[in-house]
Amino acid sequence: GFNGKWLGQTFGLAYAGDSLVAIAAGQLAGAAAAARGPTGPFEISVVFLVAGALVAMWQWKENVAPVSDLTKEGPTIADAWRVMLKDRKVMLVGAVQSLFEGAMYIFVLQWPPSMIAVVANGAVPFGT
């Protein structure tokens, strides 16, 4: 029931927003590292963790599935598995998300050793 052009617009806005947040986070982490050393970005992350927890606590409306009259229990993992197997779109979204996350973790974990290997004396400035 949604207009197809909204998908492209949504991804475009998400991409632009992610880029701006990444730039701001990098600048903030760099400033924290300069002020507090290599642990500075981790120390400042506590502020964002607490802020996120407070927003979730005050704003999150619980998403509870309707209770079945027969079992008086909500949906099970087996029910979710059946839905995933029946609907190819659900499986594809899960596969795309998994592949994206996997690629990101590979990049994040392999980038530092790769940079150290190609930079003279391994002197890569990792935000410090």
Side-chain angles (χ1 to χ4, degrees):
F2 292 106
N3 188 338
K5 71 177 184 175
W6 290 0
L7 184 62
Q9 290 173 344
T10 301
F11 279 118
L13 289 171
Y15 184 77
D18 285 348
S19 300
L20 294 174
V21 169
I23 291 168
Q27 293 298 314
L28 185 59
R36 304 274 300 167
T39 61
F42 298 99
E43 293 167 1
I44 202 166
S45 72
V46 173
V47 174
F48 292 96
L49 176 66
V50 170
L54 291 174
V55 168
M57 185 173 65
W58 289 324
Q59 297 295 320
W60 192 300
K61 308 265 187 292
E62 189 60 42
N63 183 11
V64 179
V67 176
S68 169
D69 290 335
L70 298 176
T71 63
K72 299 296 181 202
E73 295 177 8
T76 64
I77 296 293
D79 295 332
W81 184 257
R82 282 190 286 277
V83 168
M84 185 184 72
L85 292 176
K86 282 183 188 177
D87 191 348
R88 186 169 187 253
K89 290 179 183 178
V90 173
M91 179 126 24
L92 288 174
V93 167
V96 167
Q97 182 66 33
S98 297
L99 292 170
F100 175 79
E101 291 294 333
M104 291 303 296
Y105 278 115
I106 289 169
F107 173 78
V108 167
L109 295 174
Q110 292 301 314
W111 178 78
S114 300
M115 292 301 292
I116 290 169
V118 297
V119 172
N121 300 327
V124 179
F126 290 115
T128 57

